[in-house]
Amino acid sequence: MKCDLCQGEYREKLLTRSYVHRGRTVVVEGVPALVCDQCGDILIREETAAAIDGLLEREPEPRDYAPVYRFPAPVA
């Protein structure tokens, strides 16, 4: 499939994506997506997005935890 942005080719890849769910940042690994081999544009299929939503609703707590870093505020 051709990329609408740069005319590169989309390739199937597994990604790690972060989402905000119930006010908390969560990370989902192994998300299937189409990624442009030239510009890096990402497409996630509707059924994949629905599966992620279902996962976040089903799982009461994440299995693993990762640190979250906040970019420092500029010094005035």
Side-chain angles (χ1 to χ4, degrees), residues 12-19 27-35 42-45 48-49 52 55:
E12 191 79 33
K13 288 192 174 186
L14 295 178
L15 303 179
T16 299
R17 305 284 296 163
S18 63
Y19 301 90
V27 176
V28 181
E29 295 178 320
V31 176
L34 295 171
V35 180
I42 297 170
L43 298 177
I44 296 178
R45 292 184 173 96
T48 300
I52 291 168
L55 170 72

Side-chain angles (χ1 to χ4, degrees), residues 11-73:
R11 307 277 184 227
E12 191 79 33
K13 288 192 174 186
L14 295 178
L15 303 179
T16 299
R17 305 284 296 163
S18 63
Y19 301 90
V20 176
H21 178 68
R22 296 182 184 157
R24 296 174 64 185
T25 301
V26 296
V27 176
V28 181
E29 295 178 320
V31 176
L34 295 171
V35 180
C36 177
D37 62 2
Q38 288 190 31
C39 73
D41 186 47
I42 297 170
L43 298 177
I44 296 178
R45 292 184 173 96
E46 189 174 332
E47 56 270 14
T48 300
I52 291 168
D53 289 343
L55 170 72
L56 295 177
E57 289 302 319
R58 271 192 321 277
E59 295 291 325
E61 286 291 322
R63 291 185 214 161
D64 296 311
Y65 294 90
V68 175
Y69 297 93
R70 297 198 194 310
F71 192 80

